[in-house]
Amino acid sequence: MMKLYSSVTSPFVRKVLVVGHELGLADQLEVVPVVLSPTATDAALNQRNPLGKIPTLELEDGTMLFDSRVIVTHLLTLSDKAELVLPRGKKGLLTLRAEAAADGLLDAGILSRYETVLRPEQYRWSAWVDGQCDKVERALRWLEENIDTTGSSFDLAKIATACALGWLQFRKPLNDRSQGEKHMELIAPKLFTWFESVRSRPSLLASEPH
Ligand SMILES: N[C@@H](CCC(=O)N[C@@H](CS)C(=O)NCC(=O)O)C(=O)O
């Protein structure tokens, strides 16, 4: 078994779990829960991954893999269904670009959340949170325009996007913006409608944040 150092709230862990599930590898992944944040790191995890982040994957021979994109690359080598998740050629390159956009949205969203949840009030800097939320909004707009939600494929672009939308609904980092709760759905109506239609997919159901 490979060990996946994880948290049930991490959208990057979720992406790895969904890919594993879609590739038929879920039963090869042992989920090992870790509790951490940038200000309360996990000493044992820091030994495994210098960045102290999850997901981190421990292979059977003890090799440690990070980050989520490297882990996904490894899972793809283990499956004969890899092309369903990552097509070959130019299409594959654009799929990886979309994954980078969804991951970048999450990086910005998570940084803004750390700023508002972790940082003591007197040290908070609203211009910085605004800058991160602007990135989230731009990435969401970009995904709305660039993800083709027609068709039944569930490739890495759609998987990463679904994990990003699921995290946005779970943490609601844009709620303080002008249109409140509805804000993100107004930015990406097509994507959120599509997300509703796929959220009962077994790989997504099995990895819901909670
Ligand atoms: N680029 C990384 C991002 C992973 C990441 O940001 N994980 C968060 C949890 S969602 C984390 O471990 N945060 C702890 C920290 O930043 O110290 C990946 O794709 O795996």
Side-chain angles (χ1 to χ4, degrees), residues 59-100:
L59 302 185
E60 280 172 6
D61 68 1
T63 305
M64 298 295 165
L65 295 184
F66 49 86
D67 56 9
S68 63
R69 291 191 219 172
V70 175
I71 297 172
V72 165
T73 302
H74 176 62
L75 296 182
L76 290 170
T77 67
L78 301 180
S79 170
D80 54 10
K81 297 191 204 154
E83 257 191 82
L84 295 177
V85 170
L86 185 60
R88 286 178 200 267
K90 178 88 185 275
K91 208 165 171 217
L93 187 63
L94 298 183
T95 303
L96 290 171
R97 182 181 69 168
E99 180 194 22

Tab-separated table of all heavy atoms in Angstrom, residues 59-100:
chain	number	residue	atom	x	y	z
A	59	LEU	N	5.715	5.949	-1.064
A	59	LEU	CA	5.630	4.721	-1.864
A	59	LEU	C	6.056	3.529	-1.014
A	59	LEU	O	6.641	3.686	0.070
A	59	LEU	CB	6.537	4.825	-3.101
A	59	LEU	CG	6.261	6.006	-4.042
A	59	LEU	CD1	7.143	5.905	-5.282
A	59	LEU	CD2	4.785	6.060	-4.426
A	60	GLU	N	5.807	2.322	-1.519
A	60	GLU	CA	6.132	1.117	-0.739
A	60	GLU	C	7.624	0.996	-0.450
A	60	GLU	O	8.016	0.437	0.572
A	60	GLU	CB	5.615	-0.134	-1.459
A	60	GLU	CG	4.123	-0.290	-1.180
A	60	GLU	CD	3.466	-1.388	-1.982
A	60	GLU	OE1	4.173	-2.124	-2.694
A	60	GLU	OE2	2.235	-1.483	-1.892
A	61	ASP	N	8.463	1.551	-1.341
A	61	ASP	CA	9.922	1.472	-1.089
A	61	ASP	C	10.407	2.636	-0.221
A	61	ASP	O	11.608	2.825	-0.046
A	61	ASP	CB	10.697	1.443	-2.413
A	61	ASP	CG	10.595	2.770	-3.181
A	61	ASP	OD1	9.937	3.722	-2.691
A	61	ASP	OD2	11.176	2.858	-4.279
A	62	GLY	N	9.476	3.428	0.318
A	62	GLY	CA	9.846	4.525	1.213
A	62	GLY	C	10.061	5.866	0.517
A	62	GLY	O	10.242	6.889	1.174
A	63	THR	N	10.045	5.874	-0.825
A	63	THR	CA	10.199	7.154	-1.550
A	63	THR	C	9.031	8.086	-1.207
A	63	THR	O	7.874	7.659	-1.179
A	63	THR	CB	10.184	6.909	-3.079
A	63	THR	OG1	11.190	5.951	-3.383
A	63	THR	CG2	10.437	8.189	-3.862
A	64	MET	N	9.348	9.351	-0.944
A	64	MET	CA	8.297	10.347	-0.671
A	64	MET	C	8.040	11.174	-1.936
A	64	MET	O	9.002	11.655	-2.556
A	64	MET	CB	8.745	11.323	0.426
A	64	MET	CG	9.012	10.668	1.740
A	64	MET	SD	7.504	9.958	2.429
A	64	MET	CE	8.266	8.932	3.680
A	65	LEU	N	6.776	11.336	-2.274
A	65	LEU	CA	6.424	12.170	-3.432
A	65	LEU	C	5.585	13.364	-2.994
A	65	LEU	O	4.670	13.229	-2.180
A	65	LEU	CB	5.623	11.357	-4.455
A	65	LEU	CG	6.344	10.198	-5.145
A	65	LEU	CD1	5.416	9.584	-6.191
A	65	LEU	CD2	7.643	10.652	-5.797
A	66	PHE	N	5.880	14.504	-3.510
A	66	PHE	CA	5.091	15.724	-3.344
A	66	PHE	C	5.407	16.558	-4.575
A	66	PHE	O	6.462	16.354	-5.191
A	66	PHE	CB	5.470	16.465	-2.043
A	66	PHE	CG	6.941	16.654	-1.868
A	66	PHE	CD1	7.578	17.761	-2.442
A	66	PHE	CD2	7.718	15.733	-1.180
A	66	PHE	CE1	8.941	17.936	-2.305
A	66	PHE	CE2	9.094	15.909	-1.046
A	66	PHE	CZ	9.701	17.008	-1.609
A	67	ASP	N	4.594	17.521	-5.043
A	67	ASP	CA	3.322	17.817	-4.466
A	67	ASP	C	2.219	17.063	-5.216
A	67	ASP	O	2.507	16.041	-5.849
A	67	ASP	CB	3.067	19.333	-4.472
A	67	ASP	CG	3.162	19.951	-5.862
A	67	ASP	OD1	3.253	19.223	-6.851
A	67	ASP	OD2	3.117	21.194	-5.968
A	68	SER	N	0.982	17.593	-5.198
A	68	SER	CA	-0.129	16.839	-5.785
A	68	SER	C	0.097	16.534	-7.268
A	68	SER	O	-0.281	15.476	-7.752
A	68	SER	CB	-1.449	17.587	-5.593
A	68	SER	OG	-1.445	18.824	-6.272
A	69	ARG	N	0.752	17.456	-7.999
A	69	ARG	CA	0.915	17.199	-9.437
A	69	ARG	C	1.892	16.058	-9.677
A	69	ARG	O	1.725	15.264	-10.604
A	69	ARG	CB	1.378	18.458	-10.163
A	69	ARG	CG	0.277	19.499	-10.176
A	69	ARG	CD	0.599	20.641	-11.090
A	69	ARG	NE	0.148	21.865	-10.472
A	69	ARG	CZ	0.412	23.076	-10.930
A	69	ARG	NH1	1.156	23.234	-12.011
A	69	ARG	NH2	-0.049	24.130	-10.303
A	70	VAL	N	2.929	15.980	-8.842
A	70	VAL	CA	3.897	14.883	-8.976
A	70	VAL	C	3.214	13.559	-8.593
A	70	VAL	O	3.410	12.529	-9.250
A	70	VAL	CB	5.131	15.154	-8.087
A	70	VAL	CG1	6.088	13.979	-8.117
A	70	VAL	CG2	5.830	16.435	-8.542
A	71	ILE	N	2.389	13.612	-7.564
A	71	ILE	CA	1.680	12.394	-7.134
A	71	ILE	C	0.740	11.920	-8.245
A	71	ILE	O	0.684	10.730	-8.576
A	71	ILE	CB	0.920	12.652	-5.813
A	71	ILE	CG1	1.920	12.980	-4.694
A	71	ILE	CG2	0.074	11.436	-5.435
A	71	ILE	CD1	1.272	13.452	-3.387
A	72	VAL	N	0.019	12.870	-8.848
A	72	VAL	CA	-0.888	12.507	-9.951
A	72	VAL	C	-0.082	11.897	-11.102
A	72	VAL	O	-0.473	10.874	-11.676
A	72	VAL	CB	-1.690	13.743	-10.431
A	72	VAL	CG1	-2.342	13.489	-11.792
A	72	VAL	CG2	-2.752	14.122	-9.394
A	73	THR	N	1.063	12.485	-11.412
A	73	THR	CA	1.912	11.943	-12.492
A	73	THR	C	2.273	10.498	-12.187
A	73	THR	O	2.237	9.628	-13.075
A	73	THR	CB	3.194	12.803	-12.627
A	73	THR	OG1	2.809	14.136	-12.884
A	73	THR	CG2	4.075	12.301	-13.763
A	74	HIS	N	2.602	10.233	-10.928
A	74	HIS	CA	2.946	8.852	-10.557
A	74	HIS	C	1.732	7.926	-10.715
A	74	HIS	O	1.850	6.836	-11.289
A	74	HIS	CB	3.462	8.804	-9.116
A	74	HIS	CG	3.744	7.415	-8.667
A	74	HIS	ND1	4.701	6.618	-9.284
A	74	HIS	CD2	3.185	6.640	-7.697
A	74	HIS	CE1	4.718	5.422	-8.706
A	74	HIS	NE2	3.807	5.414	-7.739
A	75	LEU	N	0.575	8.350	-10.233
A	75	LEU	CA	-0.616	7.486	-10.332
A	75	LEU	C	-0.917	7.157	-11.798
A	75	LEU	O	-1.314	6.034	-12.121
A	75	LEU	CB	-1.824	8.151	-9.658
A	75	LEU	CG	-1.711	8.379	-8.139
A	75	LEU	CD1	-3.010	9.008	-7.605
A	75	LEU	CD2	-1.398	7.089	-7.384
A	76	LEU	N	-0.694	8.145	-12.672
A	76	LEU	CA	-0.971	7.916	-14.096
A	76	LEU	C	-0.088	6.803	-14.662
A	76	LEU	O	-0.512	6.055	-15.545
A	76	LEU	CB	-0.768	9.210	-14.898
A	76	LEU	CG	-1.809	10.308	-14.647
A	76	LEU	CD1	-1.382	11.615	-15.307
A	76	LEU	CD2	-3.186	9.895	-15.167
A	77	THR	N	1.137	6.682	-14.118
A	77	THR	CA	2.034	5.629	-14.638
A	77	THR	C	1.574	4.239	-14.193
A	77	THR	O	2.024	3.240	-14.736
A	77	THR	CB	3.493	5.816	-14.159
A	77	THR	OG1	3.526	5.594	-12.732
A	77	THR	CG2	4.038	7.181	-14.495
A	78	LEU	N	0.704	4.174	-13.174
A	78	LEU	CA	0.302	2.871	-12.624
A	78	LEU	C	-0.957	2.317	-13.282
A	78	LEU	O	-1.386	1.214	-12.948
A	78	LEU	CB	0.039	2.998	-11.111
A	78	LEU	CG	1.193	3.487	-10.245
A	78	LEU	CD1	0.757	3.563	-8.781
A	78	LEU	CD2	2.388	2.556	-10.395
A	79	SER	N	-1.563	3.097	-14.173
A	79	SER	CA	-2.888	2.700	-14.656
A	79	SER	C	-2.946	2.624	-16.179
A	79	SER	O	-2.334	3.437	-16.875
A	79	SER	CB	-3.910	3.727	-14.167
A	79	SER	OG	-5.139	3.509	-14.792
A	80	ASP	N	-3.733	1.671	-16.669
A	80	ASP	CA	-3.918	1.632	-18.124
A	80	ASP	C	-5.082	2.533	-18.561
A	80	ASP	O	-5.433	2.586	-19.729
A	80	ASP	CB	-4.119	0.181	-18.597
A	80	ASP	CG	-5.241	-0.518	-17.856
A	80	ASP	OD1	-5.984	0.170	-17.114
A	80	ASP	OD2	-5.382	-1.749	-18.008
A	81	LYS	N	-5.681	3.249	-17.575
A	81	LYS	CA	-6.747	4.202	-17.941
A	81	LYS	C	-6.232	5.637	-17.977
A	81	LYS	O	-7.020	6.583	-18.003
A	81	LYS	CB	-7.880	4.138	-16.900
A	81	LYS	CG	-8.579	2.811	-16.813
A	81	LYS	CD	-9.826	3.008	-15.939
A	81	LYS	CE	-10.262	1.706	-15.306
A	81	LYS	NZ	-10.996	1.894	-14.066
A	82	ALA	N	-4.893	5.786	-17.933
A	82	ALA	CA	-4.306	7.122	-17.783
A	82	ALA	C	-4.824	8.130	-18.811
A	82	ALA	O	-5.053	9.290	-18.486
A	82	ALA	CB	-2.789	7.018	-17.860
A	83	GLU	N	-5.031	7.658	-20.051
A	83	GLU	CA	-5.424	8.617	-21.101
A	83	GLU	C	-6.787	9.247	-20.875
A	83	GLU	O	-7.084	10.314	-21.418
A	83	GLU	CB	-5.384	7.932	-22.463
A	83	GLU	CG	-4.139	8.327	-23.231
A	83	GLU	CD	-4.201	7.877	-24.665
A	83	GLU	OE1	-4.825	8.590	-25.469
A	83	GLU	OE2	-3.633	6.809	-24.954
A	84	LEU	N	-7.636	8.566	-20.080
A	84	LEU	CA	-8.945	9.153	-19.770
A	84	LEU	C	-8.772	10.389	-18.891
A	84	LEU	O	-9.546	11.335	-18.940
A	84	LEU	CB	-9.829	8.141	-19.028
A	84	LEU	CG	-10.229	6.887	-19.806
A	84	LEU	CD1	-11.042	5.954	-18.920
A	84	LEU	CD2	-11.040	7.298	-21.040
A	85	VAL	N	-7.736	10.371	-18.062
A	85	VAL	CA	-7.493	11.472	-17.129
A	85	VAL	C	-6.581	12.527	-17.762
A	85	VAL	O	-6.788	13.727	-17.595
A	85	VAL	CB	-6.884	10.919	-15.814
A	85	VAL	CG1	-6.398	12.043	-14.917
A	85	VAL	CG2	-7.915	10.053	-15.087
A	86	LEU	N	-5.577	12.072	-18.484
A	86	LEU	CA	-4.663	13.008	-19.147
A	86	LEU	C	-4.457	12.580	-20.600
A	86	LEU	O	-3.669	11.680	-20.886
A	86	LEU	CB	-3.316	13.063	-18.408
A	86	LEU	CG	-2.330	14.092	-18.944
A	86	LEU	CD1	-2.897	15.509	-18.874
A	86	LEU	CD2	-1.016	14.021	-18.180
A	87	PRO	N	-5.197	13.247	-21.527
A	87	PRO	CA	-5.045	12.896	-22.950
A	87	PRO	C	-3.627	13.177	-23.434
A	87	PRO	O	-2.887	13.941	-22.808
A	87	PRO	CB	-6.039	13.822	-23.653
A	87	PRO	CG	-6.841	14.481	-22.595
A	87	PRO	CD	-6.117	14.349	-21.305
A	88	ARG	N	-3.272	12.567	-24.542
A	88	ARG	CA	-1.944	12.811	-25.105
A	88	ARG	C	-1.907	14.118	-25.906
A	88	ARG	O	-2.941	14.643	-26.275
A	88	ARG	CB	-1.588	11.680	-26.072
A	88	ARG	CG	-1.226	10.400	-25.376
A	88	ARG	CD	-0.950	9.332	-26.428
A	88	ARG	NE	-1.075	8.015	-25.831
A	88	ARG	CZ	-0.043	7.339	-25.322
A	88	ARG	NH1	1.172	7.827	-25.377
A	88	ARG	NH2	-0.234	6.149	-24.794
A	89	GLY	N	-0.679	14.575	-26.185
A	89	GLY	CA	-0.465	15.686	-27.111
A	89	GLY	C	-0.947	17.032	-26.584
A	89	GLY	O	-1.003	17.264	-25.385
A	90	LYS	N	-1.330	17.905	-27.519
A	90	LYS	CA	-1.717	19.288	-27.190
A	90	LYS	C	-2.892	19.321	-26.206
A	90	LYS	O	-2.947	20.153	-25.304
A	90	LYS	CB	-2.083	19.997	-28.509
A	90	LYS	CG	-2.551	21.427	-28.372
A	90	LYS	CD	-1.397	22.404	-28.391
A	90	LYS	CE	-1.806	23.843	-28.133
A	90	LYS	NZ	-2.259	24.560	-29.313
A	91	LYS	N	-3.816	18.376	-26.403
A	91	LYS	CA	-4.980	18.335	-25.514
A	91	LYS	C	-4.526	18.110	-24.069
A	91	LYS	O	-5.057	18.704	-23.130
A	91	LYS	CB	-5.908	17.201	-25.965
A	91	LYS	CG	-7.333	17.458	-25.620
A	91	LYS	CD	-8.289	16.545	-26.368
A	91	LYS	CE	-9.665	16.759	-25.767
A	91	LYS	NZ	-10.454	15.558	-25.677
A	92	GLY	N	-3.517	17.272	-23.928
A	92	GLY	CA	-2.983	16.989	-22.594
A	92	GLY	C	-2.315	18.219	-21.999
A	92	GLY	O	-2.459	18.516	-20.809
A	93	LEU	N	-1.605	18.949	-22.845
A	93	LEU	CA	-0.935	20.169	-22.375
A	93	LEU	C	-1.981	21.175	-21.863
A	93	LEU	O	-1.810	21.790	-20.803
A	93	LEU	CB	-0.135	20.768	-23.542
A	93	LEU	CG	0.765	21.945	-23.222
A	93	LEU	CD1	1.866	21.532	-22.241
A	93	LEU	CD2	1.385	22.500	-24.501
A	94	LEU	N	-3.067	21.317	-22.614
A	94	LEU	CA	-4.123	22.259	-22.201
A	94	LEU	C	-4.846	21.753	-20.954
A	94	LEU	O	-5.313	22.547	-20.132
A	94	LEU	CB	-5.098	22.501	-23.354
A	94	LEU	CG	-4.465	23.140	-24.602
A	94	LEU	CD1	-5.513	23.415	-25.670
A	94	LEU	CD2	-3.699	24.421	-24.262
A	95	THR	N	-4.903	20.432	-20.806
A	95	THR	CA	-5.497	19.852	-19.592
A	95	THR	C	-4.632	20.218	-18.379
A	95	THR	O	-5.134	20.608	-17.322
A	95	THR	CB	-5.591	18.314	-19.749
A	95	THR	OG1	-6.359	18.032	-20.915
A	95	THR	CG2	-6.243	17.660	-18.543
A	96	LEU	N	-3.313	20.109	-18.550
A	96	LEU	CA	-2.400	20.462	-17.449
A	96	LEU	C	-2.462	21.959	-17.149
A	96	LEU	O	-2.350	22.379	-15.995
A	96	LEU	CB	-0.957	20.053	-17.809
A	96	LEU	CG	-0.715	18.541	-17.832
A	96	LEU	CD1	0.664	18.240	-18.422
A	96	LEU	CD2	-0.827	17.937	-16.430
A	97	ARG	N	-2.655	22.764	-18.187
A	97	ARG	CA	-2.772	24.210	-17.959
A	97	ARG	C	-4.013	24.511	-17.124
A	97	ARG	O	-3.978	25.322	-16.200
A	97	ARG	CB	-2.842	24.936	-19.309
A	97	ARG	CG	-2.923	26.436	-19.161
A	97	ARG	CD	-3.020	27.137	-20.493
A	97	ARG	NE	-4.304	26.882	-21.155
A	97	ARG	CZ	-4.746	27.546	-22.219
A	97	ARG	NH1	-3.996	28.488	-22.767
A	97	ARG	NH2	-5.911	27.252	-22.759
A	98	ALA	N	-5.104	23.821	-17.445
A	98	ALA	CA	-6.332	24.029	-16.662
A	98	ALA	C	-6.117	23.562	-15.227
A	98	ALA	O	-6.589	24.202	-14.271
A	98	ALA	CB	-7.491	23.274	-17.310
A	99	GLU	N	-5.413	22.455	-15.045
A	99	GLU	CA	-5.123	21.993	-13.681
A	99	GLU	C	-4.326	23.078	-12.934
A	99	GLU	O	-4.603	23.373	-11.768
A	99	GLU	CB	-4.318	20.685	-13.719
A	99	GLU	CG	-3.997	20.169	-12.321
A	99	GLU	CD	-2.919	19.083	-12.289
A	99	GLU	OE1	-2.119	18.987	-13.249
A	99	GLU	OE2	-2.861	18.344	-11.289
A	100	ALA	N	-3.360	23.678	-13.645
A	100	ALA	CA	-2.543	24.728	-13.003
A	100	ALA	C	-3.416	25.920	-12.600
A	100	ALA	O	-3.206	26.529	-11.542
A	100	ALA	CB	-1.426	25.167	-13.948
